[in-house]
Amino acid sequence: MSIELKNIAKTYDNNSWILKGINTRIKTGEFFAIVGPSGCGKSTLLRMIAGLIPISSGDLQIDNHSVTNLPPCDRNLTMVFQDYALFPFLDVEANVGFGLKARKMDVVKIEERVANALALVDLTAVKKRKPRELSGGQRQRVALARAIASDAKICLMDEPLSNLDAQLRGKMRSEIRELQQRLGLTLIYVTHDQIEAMTMADRIMVLNEQQVQQVGSPAEIYQYPANSFVATFFGTPRMNLLKAHCTQIHNHSLVIDPQLSFPTPFDLPAGDYFIGIRPQSFTIVAQISKANATIKNIEYLGTEFIVYVELDNGAKIRIAAAKQSSLSLNERILVKTPEDFLIFDHAGRAISSMKGTQKNGRTTKQAVQTAQ
Amino acid sequence: MEEQLNKQFKPLNKIAIPKLQKLKKIGYDVNAKDKIYAFLFLGPSLLILSIFVFYPMLRTLYLSFFLTNTLGKPTVFVGFNNYVNLLTSSTYLNSLKATITYVIAVSMLTLVLGILLAQAASKKIAGINFFRTIFSGTMGVSVSVAAIFWLFIFNPSVGLLDQVTTFLHLPTINWLTQPGWAMLAVIISTVWMNLGFTFLIFFGALQSVPKFLYEAAEIEGASKSYQFFHITFPMISPTIFFISIITLIESFKSFGLIDLMTAGGPDNATNLMVYRIYQDAFLSGNYGSASTQSVILAIIISLFTLMQFKLLEKKVTY
Amino acid sequence: MKYLRHFLEFTFYIRKFLLAALIFLATVSSFGTQASAKTRTKIVFWHEMTGPAQVQLNKFVNNYNQSQSNYTVIPQFEGNYNEAVQKILNTHGTSASPALFQSMDISTNQIASSGYTTPVQKFINEDNYDVSKISSIARAFYSQNGKQLSMPFNTSQPVLYYNASLLKKYKITPPPVDPSYSDITRVAKQLYQHSDKKVKGLSIEIYGWFFEQFLANSGTSLANNNDGHSGTPTSVSFDNPAAIAAMKWIQTNIKNGSFMNYGAGTNASTNEMASFLSGKLGMFLQSSASISQLTAGTKDKIGVTYYPHLDNKKANGVSIGGASLWISNDKSLQEQRGAWEFIKYLMSPTNQASWQSATGYLALNKGSQNEPVLQKLYQHYPSSKVPSLQLSKTSPNNTNSGVFMQGLIQERTSVQTAMEQIYNGGNIRQALQEAENSMNSAVKSANKANKVQN
């Protein structure tokens, strides 16, 4: 079942907007993540789709039928809550069958569906337990089982993994993804965790400051971010943003210092720019006379090092180094111009993303398009 | 039953204080000095409890086996005669019946109306704060003020209800002088008095039910009434249990409104057990009989409370 | 039980606390006004008067304290009559007990048999006090075998009040001053019918005192051994012709619709009076002490008659209600003497006259009738003389001098229950018989507990 959001907006006082101009179409069977920092309105959007709060303006369509004014139960969807919304006084079985019983479904049928759902999430052994007797991961799975048992083809999830520890979260990520594939669910998944969104979703909607920043596949979002917010939101460690100034037109590069200058894809008007470089893109040359930076701190993460560097002009950058190089604190080093970088205008909109060669027309075009 | 008890106290067993022998084994010597300290610490509370609780309790039990003279001194030991006389006296049995009617009616009405008011006040509508204040208002009303208020309403010639019935050309009801109506009148007044507190507690309980449970139910397609009976009700069941016990015991003890509104009348219709005890002890000076009634009342209250625990324990599911 | 005990204890301590506070206040105020208080003997005086009576009583105390320099009387209010009895019995022998106290009519036997008091007869003899000037029917109530136990103080007579203006409006002949039951029935019925059922004719509060007076006025004993005047009663009689006649009379009026039942207790008398004052009730029985409240509360002319009596039988006369003053024997002789001096002061013709005019309680000193303050009252409200006349015309005998027995509070409770049944249409004899049985068993066990030999 497909879902279409047409110019959806939310306000509580007809004055200030919580969300504005949300447009997108979610395809049948798609895993669609809505991601953004806390307070960006992602949960509000999900609740509007669920029908728990009214939509202030715009139209919501499911399978091309407007459901904007329908109550939640008539939208044929199900929802998994952050706190699982399990009934503490019911055992696992009854929790899973709650909705079916409320809709007065035949008892035998309920049993069958509940048993199937429990088997799918591997909870059959604990079906007589109360929620308080379960671990966090098990509770999470009860909530999933309830969603499965409802047999709705659209499933909404509101930060379902945020109460779990990191290891369990990783495991549940793949389980949910697997279930979604297996049951052919159209899944809208709200999270503040960019890794979750990147690893699970077919497509991601990035929300910030009441507005959609970008909608695209994880690769698109990562490689061609529409603006500096999206660019810095995805990827660990965070992307570096260096401020550069362009004094005159026909300047073909943005210069940070003599050793660090960035060629531009086309003539840029004079003004302020930001250069975005992922920490992995930098290379460090040690023991050199032409040093332009000092190492301030080094973090060892097992697979890589994060090197905190201060450029001679005062800018602080993060560099991910894969190999154990014999770097030490306060060592003078040379930070070289990387091959991959992005240029954003003074408002943070993407202008180019340089990849491979210095003048890659396609990437430039793509970046400019998304920025508009 | 023992098995059930064991189950219930299992967590307690685990953290139970080690026995003395064990303490000794691990080198903790419980000597005389420790015992003295123990008594020094317990002493003050034991003393206060003895004077204000244990002594009066035992004294009451003792007096219940005696006839007392004019000065309230026990003079003739009569064994269980006081008990036999009371339990075969039709007026006492009527008082018992009236008390139980009253207690059950008051408890049920207080519970149901309290929940309904709290539910109504949980709605987010304009001016709801005003109603919340009004609903909890009777908490600040003293018994005497309440009595004056209700006496005015039930007044046979200038009362509010009388004016309403006159206006509607209905027959006049003598609220406080006809037995059945008088009972109804004191029940209404007591429930009204109770509602403020009950409302507040239930209101708090309702607020503490997580909102997402209702949202989940709504998405699953449960109707509002289904949500009330299958989410709200079980979620606030510990509160219901608490309130029902409190209300039950409180209504067994009802005194003020009865004294001020009907003084036990008419025809003993509202002569509840506690009021009878007051009359026998402090008006007639029959301390023996009054003590006997106190003992019987204590037994009845404990039986009711025990029964309530047994019945409701099963319903309080988490 | 724990809760109950707590509750009872709690009320007890609250009362104790209030008592302590009152004593403190009284002491402080007496220090403030009386510089010479140190050399005076303090006489603690417990009373249960409220309203105008309390105001007047405090006036007497102040005047007395200023009139002499030997004693300081300290008045302390002790709540209602019923509770005061238990307080008096329970504090006796402690420093909290009073030297002088007021106790209600029906507690007389209980207080006397406690042995906690010095009969006032002792002081009467010492002073050669002339008691003959004090109303004999009032004295008779508080005496045993010719010995005066306590001094009658606030004394009332049960009377019938009627709204004379209302009767005039509906052109109804008022009842005679010494009416029979059927005289009253006639007026009640006429009033009810002439007013198009808007005005109720008659009301009699459910009150044991009235029941006792129906018997007294018919010359019938309520308890054996001559109402206790010749020995401790061992049984009571409620189911007797006099009681049945009175109850029948009431039921007749209930059946013809002219009777209004206000129930029992303070609420009943309050509601009854409110109805009477607002012209919705024509006649009612009440204590003569209500007269000042009634005359102050309405512009209508109020009529007063003697207590109604049986048809075709002369009234035997009713006893009194109210309370008397007792002297405790746990205080020094000097304090007891002071208490007696204060009693004498209260009983003077002038003070008794002011007492009646201020409160409606009757002046017991025969000399009071000539006092200007009473003369003025009678001139103003001629009907206010009726209770005094009823009091002075009655000569005491065994059936109209009160019932001298213990447990009269319980007697009244039982009688009132019977009256409630009868007022609600119950069988008269059955109701009376039940009440009689329950009272008889109470009398039996009380006598056993008090080791009365028969």
Side-chain angles (χ1 to χ4, degrees):
Chain A
M1 296 176 102
S2 67
I3 303 164
E4 182 145 17
L5 285 70
K6 285 186 172 168
N7 213 13
I8 281 175
K10 181 68 190 174
T11 175
Y12 285 106
D13 53 5
N14 287 315
N15 188 16
S16 55
W17 296 87
I18 310 294
L19 282 171
K20 220 165 142 183
I22 311 290
N23 284 297
T24 197
R25 187 181 166 84
I26 300 160
K27 295 187 285 282
T28 306
E30 191 174 18
F31 194 125
F32 189 84
I34 301 173
V35 68
S38 53
C40 70
K42 54 190 188 298
S43 285
T44 308
L45 179 58
L46 193 74
R47 272 151 200 277
M48 283 196 287
I49 297 171
L52 294 172
I53 52 175
I55 295 168
S56 302
S57 78
D59 194 31
L60 175 72
Q61 294 186 343
I62 293 178
D63 275 355
N64 301 319
H65 295 293
S66 174
V67 297
T68 311
N69 295 315
L70 290 184
C73 55
D74 293 341
R75 296 186 183 193
N76 194 19
L77 44 76
T78 180
M79 186 160 168
V80 175
F81 291 82
Q82 180 173 5
D83 295 304
Y84 318 139
L86 300 184
F87 302 106
F89 47 87
L90 296 178
D91 63 15
V92 168
E93 235 179 353
N95 258 297
V96 174
F98 183 87
L100 309 179
K101 210 175 145 195
R103 273 176 284 169
K104 305 205 164 54
M105 193 185 261
D106 179 53
V107 183
V108 184
K109 225 170 161 186
I110 293 179
E111 270 178 27
E112 191 189 305
R113 274 222 211 160
V114 169
N116 279 342
L118 286 177
L120 265 176
V121 296
D122 198 21
L123 280 180
T124 316
V126 295
K127 65 180 180 184
K128 289 293 173 202
R129 291 208 195 149
K130 293 273 170 64
R132 69 184 139 86
E133 298 165 313
L134 299 176
S135 69
Q138 284 172 321
R139 282 181 214 180
Q140 173 60 61
R141 286 212 286 267
V142 177
L144 286 179
R146 186 162 68 197
I148 295 164
S150 82
D151 213 22
K153 285 298 164 205
I154 297 174
C155 181
L156 312 179
M157 294 193 180
D158 188 4
E159 308 237 11
L161 304 181
S162 60
N163 287 347
L164 302 179
D165 61 61
Q167 222 174 352
L168 203 52
R169 216 180 299 162
K171 186 166 167 260
M172 289 306 293
R173 279 210 293 259
S174 51
E175 271 188 40
I176 290 176
R177 178 74 178 147
E178 211 173 287
L179 271 174
Q180 182 257 341
Q181 297 284 333
R182 195 153 143 197
L183 301 170
L185 294 176
T186 306
L187 203 153
I188 304 181
Y189 188 102
V190 161
T191 180
H192 66 275
D193 182 349
Q194 44 104 5
I195 297 179
E196 252 173 54
M198 295 285 280
T199 52
M200 298 169 85
D202 294 323
R203 273 199 309 153
I204 297 172
M205 173 190 273
V206 187
L207 279 181
N208 191 39
E209 293 183 337
Q210 301 90 42
Q211 279 174 333
V212 176
Q213 302 294 321
Q214 191 171 358
V215 178
S217 70
E220 278 168 352
I221 298 257
Y222 189 77
Q223 288 169 27
Y224 314 113
N227 54 39
S228 59
F229 171 79
V230 177
T232 52
F233 192 80
F234 289 89
T236 11
R238 262 158 57 94
M239 173 185 269
N240 297 294
L241 277 185
L242 291 174
K243 197 172 173 182
H245 188 70
C246 181
T247 45
Q248 59 189 90
I249 314 177
H250 307 305
N251 195 339
H252 285 274
S253 66
L254 292 164
V255 180
I256 301 294
D257 65 37
Q259 271 70 42
L260 200 56
S261 66
F262 297 87
T264 59
F266 48 83
D267 291 351
L268 294 174
D272 283 332
Y273 293 91
F274 291 96
I275 302 158
I277 312 111
R278 299 223 180 260
Q280 292 82 0
S281 305
F282 277 117
T283 44
I284 297 174
V285 182
Q287 293 148 354
I288 196 162
S289 53
K290 288 189 291 178
N292 63 353
T294 312
I295 295 175
K296 288 291 174 191
N297 192 17
I298 303 171
E299 282 177 3
Y300 177 55
L301 295 181
T303 52
E304 59 181 4
F305 291 86
I306 313 291
V307 185
Y308 293 84
V309 170
E310 189 175 322
L311 293 179
D312 288 348
N313 69 5
K316 291 184 169 100
I317 55 175
R318 294 167 294 276
I319 300 172
K323 285 182 304 219
Q324 161 75 55
S325 24
S326 52
L327 297 170
S328 57
L329 284 185
N330 297 320
E331 192 181 338
R332 296 284 294 163
I333 51 159
L334 170 68
V335 175
K336 278 174 54 179
T337 305
E339 285 187 348
D340 295 348
F341 60 89
L342 300 160
I343 299 176
F344 304 100
D345 68 8
H346 68 279
R349 288 181 293 247
I351 287 173
S352 78
S353 68
M354 306 301 287
K355 197 166 166 61
T357 56
Q358 286 186 1
K359 287 182 183 175
N360 183 329
R362 197 193 73 80
T363 54
T364 304
K365 201 175 155 216
Q366 168 96 30
V368 169
Q369 263 176 359
T370 23
Q372 280 165 351
Chain B
M1 179 172 140
E2 196 162 328
E3 198 184 284
Q4 206 179 342
L5 273 177
N6 280 340
K7 214 195 256 168
Q8 204 176 335
F9 289 112
K10 211 161 207 169
L12 263 182
N13 283 342
K14 278 184 192 158
I15 55 156
I17 298 153
K19 290 202 176 115
L20 276 184
Q21 295 94 316
K22 273 193 192 160
L23 282 176
K24 275 181 186 158
K25 239 184 241 166
I26 57 169
Y28 190 91
D29 188 20
V30 185
N31 55 27
K33 211 171 150 195
D34 287 331
K35 281 181 192 161
I36 290 172
Y37 277 127
F39 274 102
L40 278 178
F41 279 115
L42 289 172
S45 51
L46 276 179
L47 189 73
I48 290 171
L49 280 175
S50 312
I51 295 174
F52 293 107
V53 181
F54 301 143
Y55 173 71
M57 274 171 76
L58 292 174
R59 180 78 184 165
T60 305
L61 192 64
Y62 174 79
L63 282 176
S64 74
F65 297 114
F66 283 87
L67 292 179
T68 50
N69 68 6
T70 318
L71 306 174
K73 305 263 169 350
T75 50
V76 182
F77 177 78
V78 291
F80 281 96
N81 255 6
N82 283 339
Y83 290 87
V84 173
N85 284 346
L86 277 172
L87 294 174
T88 52
S89 133
S90 66
T91 58
Y92 186 71
L93 293 177
N94 278 339
S95 163
L96 198 78
K97 214 163 81 186
T99 308
I100 288 172
T101 312
Y102 171 86
V103 163
I104 290 176
V106 165
S107 308
M108 297 299 274
L109 285 173
T110 304
L111 275 181
V112 171
L113 293 177
I115 294 176
L116 288 182
L117 281 188
Q119 182 79 5
S122 300
K123 296 263 182 317
K124 287 204 173 87
I125 45 172
I128 193 66
N129 274 331
F130 172 75
F131 284 100
R132 287 176 190 165
T133 315
I134 293 291
F135 291 161
S136 53
T138 63
M139 260 182 74
V141 175
S142 73
V143 174
S144 46
V145 174
I148 291 169
F149 171 71
W150 284 101
L151 281 172
F152 168 70
I153 288 186
F154 292 130
N155 188 297
S157 39
V158 292
L160 200 67
L161 283 174
D162 185 63
Q163 287 176 11
V164 172
T165 49
T166 312
F167 181 75
L168 298 173
H169 297 287
L170 294 170
T172 308
I173 295 166
N174 289 315
W175 281 95
L176 295 171
T177 55
Q178 278 171 294
W181 290 111
M183 178 58 108
L184 188 63
V186 292
I187 287 174
I188 292 173
S189 322
T190 315
V191 169
W192 181 81
M193 275 293 284
N194 286 351
L195 269 183
F197 175 74
T198 316
F199 162 76
L200 214 65
I201 299 290
F202 277 132
F203 184 68
L206 287 181
Q207 298 305 299
S208 68
V209 177
K211 224 181 126 221
F212 52 74
L213 290 184
Y214 296 110
E215 293 179 340
E218 205 144 299
I219 288 173
E220 299 277 332
S223 66
K224 287 281 176 205
S225 66
Y226 192 89
Q227 288 180 30
F228 180 78
F229 287 108
H230 291 83
I231 301 176
T232 310
F233 204 72
M235 285 303 283
I236 63 170
S237 60
T239 311
I240 295 176
F241 182 58
F242 165 74
I243 289 286
S244 70
I245 299 251
I246 295 273
T247 319
L248 187 101
I249 293 175
E250 282 296 316
S251 37
F252 263 115
K253 288 169 23 188
S254 285
F255 178 83
L257 275 176
I258 304 282
D259 186 39
L260 293 168
M261 288 182 68
T262 62
D267 190 8
N268 289 327
T270 59
N271 201 354
L272 307 184
M273 297 171 84
V274 168
Y275 197 73
R276 241 190 96 107
I277 293 171
Y278 159 77
Q279 281 187 324
D280 260 346
F282 299 109
L283 300 186
S284 309
N286 294 331
Y287 292 98
S289 168
S291 298
T292 312
Q293 294 175 49
S294 301
V295 173
I296 295 178
L297 179 62
I299 293 171
I300 290 178
I301 291 182
S302 359
L303 282 180
F304 261 83
T305 314
L306 201 73
M307 204 166 76
Q308 214 162 7
F309 264 102
K310 285 278 146 214
L311 282 177
L312 293 180
E313 204 178 37
K314 286 175 198 154
K315 302 272 170 201
V316 181
T317 36
Y318 73 103
Chain C
M1 178 163 83
K2 202 172 83 186
Y3 288 104
L4 177 70
R5 294 299 312 184
H6 281 332
F7 171 71
L8 296 178
E9 272 161 27
F10 179 70
T11 51
F12 177 71
Y13 286 111
I14 286 290
R15 280 179 206 152
K16 269 219 155 159
F17 172 75
L18 290 177
L19 179 68
L22 267 171
I23 292 173
F24 176 75
L25 284 177
T27 321
V28 168
S29 62
S30 66
F31 275 137
T33 52
Q34 309 273 325
S36 57
K38 278 177 215 158
T39 56
R40 293 160 167 244
T41 306
K42 278 182 207 130
I43 312 295
V44 174
F45 170 36
W46 281 8
H47 70 85
E48 296 93 54
M49 295 281 87
T50 56
Q54 187 172 23
V55 174
Q56 184 59 40
L57 191 58
N58 285 336
K59 256 187 220 163
F60 285 149
V61 169
N62 282 336
N63 292 343
Y64 178 70
N65 286 342
Q66 275 160 21
S67 72
Q68 44 75 47
S69 57
N70 293 328
Y71 308 105
T72 302
V73 175
I74 302 166
Q76 288 168 3
F77 173 69
E78 290 303 317
N80 71 37
Y81 281 147
N82 288 328
E83 291 166 347
V85 175
Q86 298 299 322
K87 263 188 242 181
I88 289 158
L89 295 177
N90 287 325
T91 54
H92 185 80
T94 70
S95 58
S97 72
L100 176 66
F101 62 84
Q102 180 191 23
S103 191
M104 63 171 162
D105 46 7
I106 56 171
S107 67
T108 305
N109 185 304
Q110 201 175 5
I111 302 283
S113 55
S114 71
Y116 288 172
T117 59
T118 306
V120 293
Q121 189 66 46
K122 180 190 162 210
F123 298 97
I124 291 170
N125 296 345
E126 280 174 14
D127 290 14
N128 281 323
Y129 184 76
D130 177 16
V131 287
S132 67
K133 63 190 177 189
I134 309 291
S135 156
S136 58
I137 190 96
R139 271 189 289 125
F141 196 104
Y142 301 107
S143 58
Q144 186 184 26
N145 306 326
K147 183 172 75 181
Q148 197 67 38
L149 301 168
S150 60
M151 186 58 84
F153 176 52
N154 56 316
T155 301
S156 60
Q157 286 261 288
V159 290
L160 182 133
Y161 293 102
Y162 63 89
N163 187 327
S165 309
L166 210 57
L167 293 187
K168 202 172 168 189
K169 181 181 159 195
Y170 292 112
K171 301 187 176 63
I172 299 162
T173 319
V177 77
D178 186 8
S180 69
Y181 293 162
S182 28
D183 288 331
I184 300 303
T185 308
R186 191 245 327 149
V187 178
K189 211 165 143 185
Q190 283 178 343
L191 186 54
Y192 185 58
Q193 280 164 357
H194 293 195
S195 69
D196 200 17
K197 303 189 175 180
K198 284 203 176 78
V199 179
K200 290 282 188 178
L202 174 66
S203 162
I204 296 169
E205 189 192 329
I206 294 178
Y207 188 13
W209 187 46
F210 295 139
F211 183 87
E212 290 156 21
Q213 302 317 320
F214 286 130
L215 267 59
N217 213 16
S218 321
T220 305
S221 295
L222 186 138
N224 68 354
N225 288 334
N226 287 319
D227 268 351
H229 295 292
S230 57
T232 307
T234 54
S235 73
V236 294
S237 155
F238 299 157
D239 180 18
N240 58 46
I244 294 167
M247 294 299 118
K248 265 197 181 143
W249 168 53
I250 290 169
Q251 274 196 345
T252 309
N253 281 288
I254 291 173
K255 275 177 199 143
N256 69 31
S258 63
F259 189 92
M260 184 67 192
N261 174 14
Y262 290 95
T266 11
N267 298 331
S269 34
T270 311
N271 291 342
E272 185 182 59
M273 192 170 289
S275 295
F276 183 80
L277 291 176
S278 59
K280 289 182 172 177
L281 174 68
M283 295 182 288
F284 72 113
L285 290 186
Q286 201 41 275
S287 152
S288 58
S290 302
I291 198 161
S292 50
Q293 254 176 297
L294 288 172
T295 47
T298 176
K299 280 180 183 152
D300 286 352
K301 229 181 119 215
I302 291 167
V304 182
T305 76
Y306 296 165
Y307 204 72
H309 60 81
L310 282 168
D311 296 346
N312 314 318
K313 197 180 174 209
K314 207 175 158 287
N316 180 44
V318 287
S319 72
I320 54 157
S324 65
L325 300 176
W326 299 78
I327 297 172
S328 303
N329 63 9
D330 63 341
K331 294 286 177 282
S332 69
L333 282 178
Q334 202 187 357
E335 280 176 73
Q336 295 188 32
R337 165 55 61 177
W340 166 249
E341 292 297 332
F342 183 57
I343 290 177
K344 281 201 296 192
Y345 176 79
L346 289 176
M347 298 311 289
S348 74
T350 326
N351 284 339
Q352 283 294 303
S354 330
W355 184 237
Q356 176 167 354
S357 99
T359 65
Y361 287 116
L362 301 173
L364 296 178
N365 196 313
K366 285 170 186 160
S368 299
Q369 299 302 327
N370 301 321
E371 290 287 326
V373 63
L374 267 191
Q375 291 292 336
K376 216 173 116 191
L377 177 76
Y378 294 157
Q379 237 170 25
H380 224 80
Y381 301 108
S383 57
S384 62
K385 205 178 176 179
V386 174
S388 303
L389 287 173
Q390 182 176 237
L391 182 71
S392 59
K393 89 177 174 79
T394 307
S395 49
N397 58 42
N398 277 337
T399 51
N400 66 10
S401 302
V403 184
F404 197 71
M405 71 180 285
Q406 296 195 25
L408 282 176
I409 297 178
Q410 218 169 347
E411 174 266 325
R412 285 195 173 167
T413 314
S414 319
V415 162
Q416 281 164 204
T417 302
M419 286 172 86
E420 280 167 337
Q421 290 166 353
I422 291 162
Y423 280 34
N424 278 305
N427 180 297
I428 294 174
R429 292 208 53 184
Q430 195 188 325
L432 292 175
Q433 192 65 55
E434 266 174 32
E436 186 179 305
N437 290 344
S438 93
M439 187 58 201
N440 273 333
S441 63
V443 168
K444 219 169 121 188
S445 75
N447 282 346
K448 202 168 148 196
N450 290 316
K451 317 245 161 147
V452 173
Q453 302 299 324
N454 284 295

